[in-house]
Amino acid sequence: MKPTLPVRRDLHHRGRIKSLDLVVLEDDKKYFPAYNVAPVVSKKVLDQYPRLPKLFEPVSDKLTDDVLSELNAQVDVDGREPADVAMDWLVKAGFISRD
């Protein structure tokens, strides 16, 4: 019997990867689709606030795979509250201030 290795694309952004000493393999064949962060906003809201896409764009650009993994680790491994992790990242990334 050949050894098997479970492969899950969705684990890439889970914070436990580092804590379990796992390695994320490069998908050099582009088998799995990209897991990109994208805001979901209704047409009604976009019609009312047409500048929203441009406001969200820099946030989406900075939420790289590595950043998402680190933020998830703060929640999954360190036990921090998701809202606190998000707030800290938004401040550190320069999108908002605590003032």
Side-chain angles (χ1 to χ4, degrees), residues 1-98:
M1 177 181 272
K2 291 183 180 180
T4 60
L5 174 66
V7 177
R8 290 186 56 181
R9 171 66 177 157
D10 66 320
L11 286 177
H12 185 67
H13 298 287
R14 306 226 185 230
R16 296 195 184 275
I17 289 176
K18 278 187 186 175
S19 70
L20 295 172
D21 201 26
L22 299 175
V23 175
V24 176
L25 302 176
E26 180 183 350
D27 180 17
D28 60 340
K29 302 291 186 198
K30 306 297 183 215
Y31 179 78
F32 294 102
Y35 179 79
N36 297 328
V37 175
V40 178
V41 182
S42 72
K43 182 174 178 347
K44 180 179 176 180
V45 171
L46 283 178
D47 288 344
Q48 189 174 358
Y49 303 100
R51 292 180 46 210
L52 279 181
K54 286 292 184 192
L55 292 173
F56 285 137
E57 190 174 303
V59 176
S60 295
D61 289 347
K62 283 196 175 189
L63 279 174
T64 64
D65 289 347
D66 290 339
V67 169
L68 287 170
S69 293
E70 174 57 35
L71 297 176
N72 284 331
Q74 291 180 40
V75 174
D76 293 343
V77 178
D78 301 338
R80 295 190 62 209
E81 287 296 318
D84 294 337
V85 172
M87 175 64 86
D88 289 348
W89 181 80
L90 288 167
V91 170
K92 182 179 176 184
F95 292 116
I96 61 174
S97 67
R98 293 194 191 272

